C-alpha cells in the first residue's frame, strides 16, 4: 500500500515554462514533506521541504504547495530550465524527521530547450 | 568536502556469495539508512540506524544485515544474495530531524 503516490511517471515541458509535479499521500500523520531530485548515476539530493503548519514554501525558482485537506502537495518550478531535467521524488515523514522517510515512486521531468 | 561515500559503485556477483557494501559519512551524522531503488517502486528503506549500536528494520529488511559499530560507518551485508536483490542501493545520513544526504549509489547485479 503506497502511502506516498506520484501518479504521473513523467512530464515534459518547454524551457521557460512552468513545471508542476504532483504528489498525494494517504497517511494523515505525515507532517513533514520533502522533494528530492536525482540525476542519472548520482544519489538523490534535497531540493525543498515543507512542514504541515505551512501551506507554501518558496526557494528561488522552486515552490512547494501543501493542501492538507486534500492530502496533496505540488512542486512548481518557474521558469523551468534544461538543467532541471531529472527524476523528482516526493517524500513524507511523521514527526518532522528524516527517520522512516517514505518516498514516492518518482517522476521523470524533461525540460526541452 | 561533506559527503556520503559508498563502495563499490558497481558489483556483479553470483547467488549465495556473501558480499558487503560499505558506507561512510564524514559529517558526524547520528542517523544512517539504506535504501534500494527499483523501477516502478521508488526508494524503499531497508534498515536504518539512529546511532552507534542502534539499528532497526525498514520496509524491506529481508535478506539484509547491517551493523553500526562506529558513527561514520554503516555497512550493508548480504549473507546469501539472490537475484531478487539485484537493485540500485543508496546509503544516506543526516543529523536527527534534518534532511538526508545520499551517497552516489551501488548498482548490484546478482546472477
Amino acid at each position: 500500500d503506497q502511502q506516498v503516490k506520484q501518479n504521473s511517471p513523467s512530464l515534459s515541458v518547454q524551457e521557460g515554462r512552468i513545471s508542476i509535479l504532483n504528489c498525494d499521500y494517504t497517511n494523515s500523520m505525515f507532517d513533514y514533506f520533502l522533494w528530492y531530485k536525482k540525476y542519472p548515476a548520482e544519489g538523490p539530493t534535497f531540493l525543498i521541504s515543507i512542514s504541515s503548519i505551512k501551506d507554501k514554501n518558496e526557494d528561488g525558482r522552486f515552490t512547494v504547495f501543501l493542501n492538507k485537506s486534500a492530502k496533496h502537495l505540488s512542486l512548481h518550478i518557474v521558469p523551468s530550465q534544461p538543467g532541471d531535467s531529472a527524476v523528482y521524488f516526493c517524500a513524507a515523514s511523521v514527526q518532522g524527521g528524516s527517520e522512516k522517510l517514505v518516498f514516492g515512486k518518482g517522476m521523470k521531468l524533461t525540460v526541452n530547450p | 568536502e561533506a559527503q556520503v561515500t559508498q563502495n563499490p559503485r558497481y558489483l556483479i556477483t553470483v547467488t549465495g556469495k556473501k558480499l558487503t557494501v560499505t558506507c561512510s559519512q564524514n559529517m558526524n551524522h547520528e542517523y544512517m539508512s539504506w535504501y534500494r531503488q527499483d523501477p516502478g517502486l521508488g526508494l524503499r528503506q531497508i534498515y536504518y540506524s539512529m546511532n552507534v549500536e542502534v539499528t532497526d528494520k525498514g520496509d524491506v529488511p529481508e535478506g539484509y544485515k547491517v551493523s553500526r559499530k562506529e558513527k561514520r560507518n554503516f555497512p550493508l551485508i548480504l549473507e546469501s544474495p539472490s537475484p531478487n536483490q539485484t537493485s540500485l542501493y543508496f546509503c544516506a545520513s543526516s543529523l536527527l530531524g534534518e534532511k538526508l544526504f545520499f551517497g552516489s549509489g551501488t548498482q548490484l547485479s546478482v546472477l
Side-chain angles (χ1 to χ4, degrees):
Chain A
D1 178 35
Q2 272 240 301
Q3 297 185 69
V4 177
K5 301 177 184 179
Q6 295 177 259
N7 293 319
S8 300
S10 63
L11 173 68
S12 182
V13 299
Q14 285 300 119
E15 181 178 5
R17 306 295 287 269
I18 185 172
S19 296
I20 299 176
L21 290 72
N22 292 307
C23 179
D24 297 295
Y25 61 96
T26 57
N27 188 345
S28 58
M29 298 298 291
F30 287 145
D31 58 5
Y32 186 56
F33 304 89
L34 308 90
W35 286 93
Y36 279 81
K37 173 178 172 179
K38 184 185 177 304
Y39 292 118
E42 295 183 13
T45 55
F46 171 77
L47 186 59
I48 192 168
S49 64
I50 187 167
S51 163
S52 60
I53 63 173
K54 294 185 171 183
D55 55 18
K56 176 182 174 182
N57 190 26
E58 199 170 347
D59 184 2
R61 297 185 297 112
F62 304 91
T63 303
V64 57
F65 295 92
L66 176 62
N67 182 334
K68 289 186 288 294
S69 61
K71 294 192 180 70
H72 176 84
L73 63 155
S74 60
L75 174 68
H76 293 212
I77 307 174
V78 184
S80 300
Q81 299 173 354
D84 296 328
S85 297
V87 175
Y88 289 78
F89 290 98
C90 173
S93 72
V94 177
Q95 293 184 327
S98 290
E99 301 80 38
K100 301 295 285 181
L101 203 59
V102 179
F103 284 85
K105 293 181 181 181
M107 170 194 252
K108 183 176 182 180
L109 172 66
T110 302
V111 181
N112 301 302
Chain B
E1 181 189 354
Q3 58 186 4
V4 179
T5 303
Q6 293 178 232
N7 281 298
R9 286 295 304 271
Y10 302 93
L11 180 58
I12 301 174
T13 190
V14 295
T15 299
K17 186 175 181 181
K18 181 179 178 180
L19 67 91
T20 299
V21 183
T22 64
C23 175
S24 180
Q25 50 92 7
N26 62 0
M27 295 170 278
N28 201 34
H29 287 166
E30 299 94 352
Y31 179 82
M32 298 186 76
S33 182
W34 277 101
Y35 289 85
R36 59 180 287 175
Q37 183 188 1
D38 300 290
L41 295 175
L43 289 160
R44 295 180 294 167
Q45 190 178 49
I46 304 171
Y47 268 95
Y48 64 96
S49 170
M50 302 287 281
N51 214 323
V52 175
E53 303 290 1
V54 181
T55 63
D56 207 347
K57 296 177 181 179
D59 299 315
V60 288
E62 295 77 20
Y64 304 95
K65 284 176 58 177
V66 292
S67 69
R68 188 93 181 271
K69 293 184 170 61
E70 304 164 285
K71 196 172 188 178
R72 63 182 292 128
N73 296 322
F74 191 46
L76 179 69
I77 303 155
L78 285 72
E79 294 269 1
S80 184
S82 62
N84 65 12
Q85 292 177 298
T86 292
S87 187
L88 178 58
Y89 291 86
F90 290 101
C91 180
S93 73
S94 73
L95 295 170
L96 291 178
E98 299 291 321
K99 65 179 185 281
L100 283 175
F101 289 84
F102 283 84
S104 298
T106 296
Q107 180 64 59
L108 173 64
S109 295
V110 183
L111 306 177

